[in-house]
Amino acid sequence: MAYGRKKRIQAVFLAAFLPLILGTLCWGEEKTLGGEEQVARVNGTVITRKALDREMARVQRSIVTSGRKLSAADLPRLQQRVLESLIDREILYQEGRKKGFRAEEAEVNDQIASLKKKYSTETEYQAALKRVGLNEGSLRKEIEKGLVVKAFLIKEFKKKITISDEETKAFYDANPRSFTRPEQVRASHILVKVGQGATEAQRAEAQKKIEEIRQRIKKGEDFASLAREYSDCPSKVKGGDLSYFARGQMVKPFEDAAFSLKVGQVSGVVETRFGYHLIKVTDRRPELKLPYEKVKEKVRNYLASRKMTKEVQAYVNGLKKHAKVERNL
């Protein structure tokens, strides 16, 4: 939860809730499913193997993206936990419907329109749905379910949870590292890419190219202009700018070089697994403790999310005692 990285308290807050209230692609399927494998039933509503596999893929991507390792030995236990989360969601959906919560068609349409914007063409959009085993009709149903559960949880739980200033201050004081932005540098680079299977001749050619660029910089040519013209990194469109980063966010040789430079200084040729780089540091930020007033509301959201998660889980566990749940995994 360190503040120098992208995963900040607000992200933790969202991560705690979104899979539970907006996990729209992995719910129970319709009761009539032909010969499709059923991994569970919740009061007669089937959860299919296809739905479980979709959610497993999403969770695994999330774990890998966060930098955590997942071994083959972890998969069976993870699969059981994922199945249980699907059962919990279905129970919450059914309870929300009983209490009169409904999704407006306009809301569903808005979410589908937002999803479509992520794809260049209708063909790409339909192909993406097909890859996860959905069509427009089943997608609408999943979004409708997600909206019902979201509205139900906000009304029944979130709006009733309060966190005092004393609680937020106590958490802030007890977790100083969570509110410390680590030392950062802002750097630009020029990359001459070298593929993993490159020959010695190709490597020599790449070295010659990066050295020629370095000499031009030494003679006073503009670093950003040369990056736009010659760099093989997507950052070339911004003159090679990579913005701010802390230690641990770049490959080691690149990081070591960047943090050793003064502002305005350009490195020698730096080799990484991507190829050859020239690095220019444009700014530095020292380690900084973020003041309480600046993060107070984010802390409040985080503590509210933690409290809500506990209350929702206790509530679901109570509903399960009266539900007919069959597990076939």
Side-chain angles (χ1 to χ4, degrees):
M1 240 171 17
Y3 242 83
R5 299 176 185 270
K6 291 181 181 177
K7 291 180 184 176
R8 303 184 178 184
I9 283 184
Q10 185 65 19
V12 175
F13 171 67
L14 291 173
F17 287 105
L18 290 184
L20 186 62
I21 63 179
L22 293 177
T24 58
L25 299 182
C26 309
W27 294 75
E29 307 283 346
E30 296 300 320
K31 294 185 182 181
T32 4
L33 292 161
E36 217 175 324
E37 184 183 354
Q38 303 174 12
V39 292
R41 277 179 177 267
V42 182
N43 295 321
T45 296
V46 167
I47 296 173
T48 65
R49 164 65 69 175
K50 188 185 292 183
L52 177 61
D53 289 345
R54 281 199 298 266
E55 182 70 345
M56 273 291 289
R58 186 192 69 78
V59 171
Q60 286 176 273
R61 282 195 303 273
S62 176
I63 290 171
V64 171
T65 302
S66 72
R68 289 174 289 168
K69 292 183 179 178
L70 190 64
S71 70
D74 296 324
L75 292 177
R77 186 172 59 178
L78 179 64
Q79 190 177 61
Q80 290 289 348
R81 289 174 58 190
V82 169
L83 176 60
E84 212 57 37
S85 76
L86 294 179
I87 291 169
D88 290 351
R89 293 176 191 179
E90 183 59 36
I91 285 174
L92 284 169
Y93 171 68
Q94 292 179 13
E95 191 65 16
R97 291 281 296 183
K98 281 182 193 175
K99 290 182 179 289
F101 289 89
R102 300 290 185 270
E104 296 292 333
E105 186 175 358
E107 286 184 281
V108 177
N109 290 340
D110 284 347
Q111 290 220 0
I112 289 176
S114 179
L115 182 62
K116 282 185 174 182
K117 286 179 183 176
K118 296 178 181 179
Y119 301 94
S120 303
T121 65
E122 178 70 17
T123 303
E124 281 185 20
Y125 166 67
Q126 293 296 338
L129 290 184
K130 189 175 180 180
R131 279 196 299 272
V132 293
L134 293 170
N135 56 40
E136 185 108 353
S138 56
L139 175 64
R140 293 187 73 86
K141 182 64 176 175
E142 304 308 331
I143 291 174
E144 182 268 330
K145 285 186 171 186
L147 290 171
V148 167
V149 175
K150 179 182 177 181
F152 173 46
L153 292 183
I154 288 173
K155 176 80 180 294
E156 298 294 318
F157 294 93
K158 188 179 178 183
K159 287 188 175 179
K160 297 175 183 177
I161 289 174
T162 58
I163 302 293
S164 69
D165 288 347
E166 290 75 15
E167 288 176 282
T168 60
K169 187 64 165 65
F171 184 87
Y172 176 85
D173 291 340
N175 298 275
R177 294 305 303 171
S178 295
F179 306 101
T180 301
R181 188 188 69 199
E183 178 190 12
Q184 296 177 325
V185 297
R186 182 170 190 166
S188 299
H189 81 137
I190 297 170
L191 168 66
V192 174
K193 201 170 184 178
V194 179
Q196 287 187 342
T199 64
E200 286 302 314
Q202 288 170 325
R203 287 186 172 278
E205 183 62 29
Q207 286 177 318
K208 180 183 176 184
K209 181 179 177 181
I210 198 74
E211 184 58 37
E212 287 172 353
I213 297 169
R214 189 175 80 86
Q215 291 302 324
R216 290 173 66 174
I217 292 168
K218 285 182 71 175
K219 289 176 182 177
E221 291 195 47
D222 182 59
F223 189 99
S225 297
L226 290 169
R228 289 188 188 95
E229 187 172 355
Y230 295 109
S231 182
D232 293 325
C233 177
S235 65
K236 66 186 294 180
V237 297
K238 298 182 290 183
D241 181 38
L242 298 169
S243 194
Y244 291 94
F245 55 89
R247 293 184 187 276
Q249 292 182 268
M250 298 292 182
V251 290
K252 193 74 165 56
F254 191 100
E255 172 189 296
D256 289 343
F259 277 89
S260 70
L261 296 170
K262 295 177 182 177
V263 174
Q265 191 175 5
V266 178
S267 72
V269 176
V270 177
E271 184 178 358
T272 73
R273 66 174 183 265
F274 302 108
Y276 300 108
H277 308 255
L278 295 172
I279 304 166
K280 180 178 181 179
V281 167
T282 55
D283 196 15
R284 298 185 77 100
R285 287 174 174 171
E287 182 176 278
L288 174 68
K289 177 74 178 291
L290 294 170
Y292 170 68
E293 288 301 324
K294 189 172 182 178
V295 298
K296 180 170 73 172
E297 290 311 308
K298 291 179 180 178
V299 174
R300 195 186 309 280
N301 286 340
Y302 171 68
L303 294 177
S305 77
R306 194 164 66 173
K307 185 180 287 189
M308 179 173 164
T309 299
K310 288 180 181 177
E311 290 188 12
V312 170
Q313 193 58 63
Y315 179 76
V316 172
N317 290 343
L319 291 176
K320 276 183 180 176
K321 292 176 183 178
H322 306 287
K324 186 178 180 181
V325 180
E326 307 164 61
R327 298 169 181 82
N328 306 315
L329 186 61

